[in-house]
Amino acid sequence: MADVIMVPDISRTVQKWRKKRGSLIMALHEVQNRYGYVPRNVSLQLAQLMDVPLARIYEVVTFYNYFNLEPPGRNNVAVCLGTACYLKGAPEVFDAHKKALGLEDGGTTGDGEFHLQSVRCVGCCGLAPVVVMNGQTVSKVRPEGVRDLIARCRKEA
Amino acid sequence: MGKLNRDDLDRLESEYQESRQERDYIRVGMSTCGIAAGAEPVYRFLCEEIRRRALDVEVRRSGCLGMCHAEPLVEVSVAGAPRSLYGEVGLDAARRILDQHVEKGLVLAGMLASQDGLLAPPEETVPRIGRQLRIVLRNCGIIDPTKIEEYIARGGYQGLKRALFELGPESVIEEMRTAGLRGRGGAGYPAWLKWKLTRDAEGAEKYMICNGDEGDPGAYMDRSVLEGDPHSVIEGMLIGALAIGASQCYFYIRAEYPLAVDRIETAIKQARRMGLVGKNILGSNFSCEMEVRLGAGAFVCGEETALIASLEGRRGTPRPRPPYPAQYGLWQMPSNINNVETLANVGPLIARGGKWFASIGTESSKGTKVFAVTGKVRHSGLVEIPMGTTIREIVMDICGGAEGGKHIKAVQTGGPSGGVIPEELFDTPVSYESLQELGSIMGSGGLIVMDEDDCMVDIAGFYLGFCVEESCGKCAPCRIGGKQVKMLLDKISARRATAKDVTELRRICHAMQKASLCGLGQTAPNPVLSTLRYFENEYEALLQ
């Protein structure tokens, strides 16, 4: 993995959290927001800055689904598999994504262009099934519309 | 605007009401569902066009009115034409609304969104919409959630004012007791008792915590309230903090809800600027601080002790209770945790009094409940009904029944901890007890409609799969039992199972209910047991 140096703005924000009790998770959110994942050397620096053992950091990072240890793709596709979406055909929508991108759940394309994952309920059940593409929620997705959706994403990127 | 004291609140309320009354406006619903359906370009288009056409019309934003199936929603209120609500508004529709309704005063009847008689968002502070009564959702879809003035103009913070200057902590708890408000997160524990236990517990510090870790896949009323009316939750938190004797509040909100986090953070800043959060609130001697902490995608963190562990920055694993958080909570101090929907009830409850609240609902379940009605139903969205309304009224009358001429088979309430209720039992009035008797639970209010195409074994497998993934792994009954149950369900679905497997399935389910450490494991078998209870024939049809 490439070396990632903690940039000054992150260490400043982390310093801010350091003063507050129990804020390791908040500091990790800051790291993930900045890098898209939690890089190992950043964890090492975080351990020093926050004065917690590296093992504690990994214990937390691996417990919560939200944190990633691998870098995401340039485009991130999250297919909601919450109950409402599930009933309205999300498994087929998810399969269409897998096929179109040639990926399994949690995979990233070789060129780093797309990362695909399933997620639990984004709270948009009234418009099921939904897909969150680079942070934008797309509603009432049909399996046959998935290729277009991805093509559009590729073009915009 | 500087810090307010008790008299400023009333002055502001009437000032804002007057200043906004005569203005023509167009309002666009801009919560997560509205934005997902395309509200942002519509909003931008309306702003630009109004400027270009030099119309004296204000374009406003609001949260979610609950009619998610008809998003993007646009409400038009101009002199000379009835106030109207348009649904599924794209750019073309937005242009026609400007041409016809705004400029000529002609209502476009074919484009109106209506549900159960609603033609435009109501104006009362606790509105009735057909069969719905909106206490929790009183402002959602009506006010601009980024403007504290709009909350105040609709009677906001009057509950806090009464709590501070008329009642005091003990009487607040007494009002809550009269009201009979029970926890809306699922368990239905009396809110007043939780508050009293925390108040009576000894501790150098006490904490008030808002559980905004809405994890039930299929329920999103908490997101909607946080996004559409954040001050209602802040007001509830302040009244609770006063009652239990806390000076520090935490909002624990799912990281998956970025807009909700953003709205609550904005709202806290505004409230602080106005002297509603911080030192000497409204000029009283009550001081209270607030902070937001994010969850990180763990369903189990909705459980109180796991939530506390997560707030402390650790893995969100639960611990045995007692001691309860009321005695031994965050940083080992007495802590009170309430769900978002519970808290949103508190402001109006205290402002209007416990007796008013207790006049709504059934004998044992008071007030209203918000349901997120989704799945195979025509009008999916949020519905707030007085307790005691039947499931049939919710699904058939308010939400328009099945989609596409299908037959509705059942609903699932309570998410992964709940169970199914077959169509024959839809005349059951909704209350904590009635749903439990049917083998389901109220839960946080997800109500998933299933039709003839949905296989109950598959649904049970879906929920079990969820619980297996979300099990924290600390106790064996949940960790191992869940996995075994899931494997048996998969075996049944694959038509490889025999009657003996079903017996085994039941046995493991009962063991999990009895022996699991926390609510997650204890309730994970519910979807299996309740589908077995009402749809055993579907299991049998798959056996060898």
Side-chain angles (χ1 to χ4, degrees):
Chain A
M1 195 182 296
D3 270 9
V4 182
I5 297 152
M6 193 180 265
V7 289
D9 61 322
I10 283 291
S11 51
R12 254 202 308 279
T13 5
V14 169
Q15 287 288 0
K16 174 189 88 187
W17 286 113
R18 187 176 187 221
K19 294 185 205 115
K20 300 198 174 167
R21 283 177 95 181
S23 52
L24 176 60
I25 293 173
M26 295 306 282
L28 284 166
H29 274 295
E30 303 258 7
V31 170
Q32 175 143 323
N33 282 345
R34 170 72 178 73
Y35 298 101
Y37 71 116
V38 184
R40 187 173 170 84
N41 5 13
V42 175
S43 288
L44 275 163
Q45 294 191 45
L46 190 65
Q48 281 176 352
L49 283 169
M50 307 237 350
D51 199 19
V52 291
L54 186 64
R56 270 277 325 276
I57 293 179
Y58 269 73
E59 186 191 15
V60 168
V61 170
T62 55
F63 179 82
Y64 293 98
N65 287 330
Y66 198 80
F67 297 124
N68 300 319
L69 286 170
E70 299 292 326
R74 269 183 288 282
N75 294 295
N76 291 291
V77 186
V79 181
C80 181
L81 292 184
T83 321
C85 289
Y86 181 82
L87 284 181
K88 294 261 196 150
E92 289 78 26
V93 171
F94 192 38
D95 282 343
H97 277 91
K98 286 186 191 164
K99 227 189 248 160
L101 293 168
L103 291 175
E104 282 304 307
D105 195 359
T108 306
T109 50
D111 56 1
E113 206 54 47
F114 282 93
H115 175 78
L116 176 68
Q117 68 180 120
S118 62
V119 289
R120 275 314 150 39
C121 199
V122 293
C124 208
C125 318
L127 299 168
V130 301
V131 171
V132 182
M133 222 148 214
N134 296 328
Q136 300 265 339
T137 312
V138 189
S139 59
K140 297 179 185 169
V141 181
R142 304 257 67 93
E144 54 276 16
V146 166
R147 278 190 183 276
D148 278 356
L149 208 61
I150 289 170
R152 219 183 318 143
C153 208
R154 216 184 278 274
K155 216 159 52 195
E156 277 168 22
Chain B
M1 176 59 61
K3 293 198 190 303
L4 307 180
N5 65 40
R6 55 188 295 187
D7 302 318
D8 295 333
L9 204 58
D10 297 334
R11 187 177 48 74
L12 266 187
E13 184 179 341
S14 47
E15 266 178 27
Y16 283 121
Q17 273 171 5
E18 279 164 27
S19 75
R20 294 174 67 81
Q21 242 158 27
E22 316 86 50
R23 285 221 63 177
D24 288 347
Y25 67 84
I26 300 177
R27 189 149 46 196
V28 185
M30 303 277 274
S31 60
T32 296
C33 23
I35 292 171
E40 269 175 342
V42 169
Y43 176 79
R44 278 197 303 271
F45 172 80
L46 288 169
C47 290
E48 278 162 26
E49 276 297 294
I50 290 219
R51 211 175 313 124
R52 201 178 63 80
R53 300 184 190 195
L55 299 169
D56 185 25
V57 179
E58 191 184 350
V59 186
R60 299 179 185 169
R61 293 187 294 185
S62 71
C64 169
L65 197 61
M67 296 163 65
C68 308
H69 62 95
E71 294 280 3
L73 287 164
V74 173
E75 179 197 347
V76 183
S77 172
V78 292
R83 218 157 48 87
S84 311
L85 183 68
Y86 293 103
E88 298 183 56
V89 178
L91 294 180
D92 284 344
R95 184 182 301 278
R96 286 180 59 204
I97 290 169
L98 286 177
D99 292 346
Q100 302 294 318
H101 190 144
V102 177
E103 298 219 60
K104 297 187 188 143
L106 301 170
V107 175
L108 296 150
M111 287 160 48
L112 291 175
S114 94
Q115 183 178 353
D116 204 29
L118 171 76
L119 291 171
E123 282 170 335
E124 316 92 278
T125 47
V126 175
R128 267 197 178 282
I129 303 178
R131 289 156 214 265
Q132 297 191 56
L133 175 66
R134 296 198 158 181
I135 301 175
V136 172
L137 302 177
R138 60 192 179 276
N139 294 323
C140 284
I142 297 175
I143 64 166
D144 182 337
T146 61
K147 295 191 174 140
I148 188 170
E149 300 85 354
E150 298 205 3
Y151 180 70
I152 292 173
R154 287 174 57 86
Y157 290 109
Q158 289 293 338
L160 174 68
K161 184 182 149 193
R162 178 157 187 253
L164 282 171
F165 301 108
E166 267 181 60
L167 297 175
E170 305 278 354
S171 306
V172 165
I173 293 176
E174 210 36 58
E175 285 282 341
M176 292 286 285
R177 184 180 185 162
T178 311
L181 173 64
R182 296 168 64 178
R184 299 292 193 249
Y189 195 77
W192 74 271
L193 188 53
K194 246 187 182 177
W195 286 16
K196 183 166 173 28
L197 291 171
T198 317
R199 177 169 181 78
D200 292 346
E202 290 200 21
E205 282 270 359
K206 288 179 188 176
Y207 298 105
M208 180 79 189
I209 301 165
C210 169
N211 184 349
D213 192 48
E214 187 172 50
D216 168 5
Y220 59 99
M221 61 287 294
D222 292 353
R223 168 183 72 68
S224 201
V225 172
L226 290 167
E227 284 180 7
D229 194 15
H231 286 285
S232 71
V233 191
I234 293 178
E235 185 177 4
M237 287 287 271
L238 289 168
I239 296 171
L242 173 77
I244 66 169
S247 53
Q248 176 70 44
C249 300
Y250 288 100
F251 283 89
Y252 184 84
I253 304 175
R254 289 183 79 192
E256 290 87 340
Y257 288 173
L259 189 60
V261 173
D262 190 52
R263 294 264 164 90
I264 207 88
E265 278 178 340
T266 306
I268 293 174
K269 269 187 215 133
Q270 290 170 341
R272 186 172 290 127
R273 210 166 45 231
M274 288 205 158
L276 289 156
V277 165
K279 284 212 161 50
N280 301 102
I281 291 170
L282 288 176
S284 72
N285 55 12
F286 172 62
S287 301
C288 189
E289 269 307 324
M290 283 188 179
E291 265 184 54
V292 176
R293 293 294 169 88
L294 305 188
F299 177 62
V300 70
C301 287
E303 199 276 343
E304 292 192 328
T305 59
L307 189 152
I308 286 171
S310 185
L311 268 180
E312 291 174 350
R314 297 184 285 121
R315 290 167 75 98
T317 44
R319 61 159 177 80
R321 298 179 301 176
Y324 288 91
Q327 279 88 35
Y328 190 85
L330 186 63
W331 319 120
Q332 296 85 51
M333 292 297 162
S335 306
N336 176 74
I337 304 175
N338 291 122
N339 149 280
V340 170
E341 188 184 334
T342 313
L343 290 165
N345 273 297
V346 173
L349 186 163
I350 295 295
R352 291 172 178 238
K355 282 212 181 86
W356 165 75
F357 192 86
S359 70
I360 304 158
T362 71
E363 194 52 45
S364 64
S365 304
K366 300 295 187 192
T368 60
K369 179 75 192 90
V370 184
F371 284 98
V373 186
T374 62
K376 306 289 183 68
V377 65
R378 269 178 69 199
H379 298 154
S380 55
L382 294 179
V383 167
E384 180 173 358
I385 40 94
M387 297 274 194
T389 306
T390 66
I391 298 169
R392 193 175 304 281
E393 284 175 277
I394 300 172
V395 176
M396 302 300 183
D397 300 337
I398 301 176
C399 294
E403 274 184 320
K406 301 264 179 177
H407 172 71
I408 292 181
K409 183 150 77 174
V411 295
Q412 162 98 11
T413 66
S417 307
V420 295
I421 298 166
E423 198 267 339
E424 310 87 82
L425 298 173
F426 277 11
D427 290 314
T428 311
V430 166
S431 71
Y432 289 96
E433 286 73 20
S434 68
L435 295 186
Q436 213 155 16
E437 277 164 30
L438 298 181
S440 184
I441 59 164
M442 178 84 80
S444 54
L447 198 152
I448 316 260
V449 180
M450 293 172 278
D451 68 18
E452 54 199 277
D453 295 340
D454 296 313
C455 165
M456 290 297 154
V457 183
D458 185 55
I459 301 288
F462 167 79
Y463 281 116
L464 243 295
F466 180 86
C467 289
V468 167
E469 262 185 57
E470 293 298 334
S471 171
C472 78
K474 183 167 174 171
C475 73
C478 175
R479 184 183 67 237
I480 300 170
K483 179 89 185 159
Q484 293 301 320
V485 169
K486 178 74 174 78
M487 279 160 61
L488 284 170
L489 287 172
D490 288 345
K491 194 173 168 190
I492 296 170
S493 289
R495 298 173 183 273
R496 284 188 286 104
T498 61
K500 230 180 90 200
D501 290 312
V502 177
T503 316
E504 184 69 1
L505 187 66
R506 279 208 167 87
R507 210 177 55 84
I508 303 175
C509 283
H510 290 303
M512 282 179 76
Q513 282 183 320
K514 285 203 189 94
S516 295
L517 175 62
C518 83
L520 195 156
Q522 287 160 11
T523 59
N526 288 359
V528 181
L529 291 172
S530 86
T531 46
L532 270 172
R533 174 166 164 186
Y534 296 113
F535 297 99
E536 195 171 1
N537 57 329
E538 294 195 19
Y539 282 80
E540 279 164 1
L542 292 168
L543 296 182
Q544 274 185 346

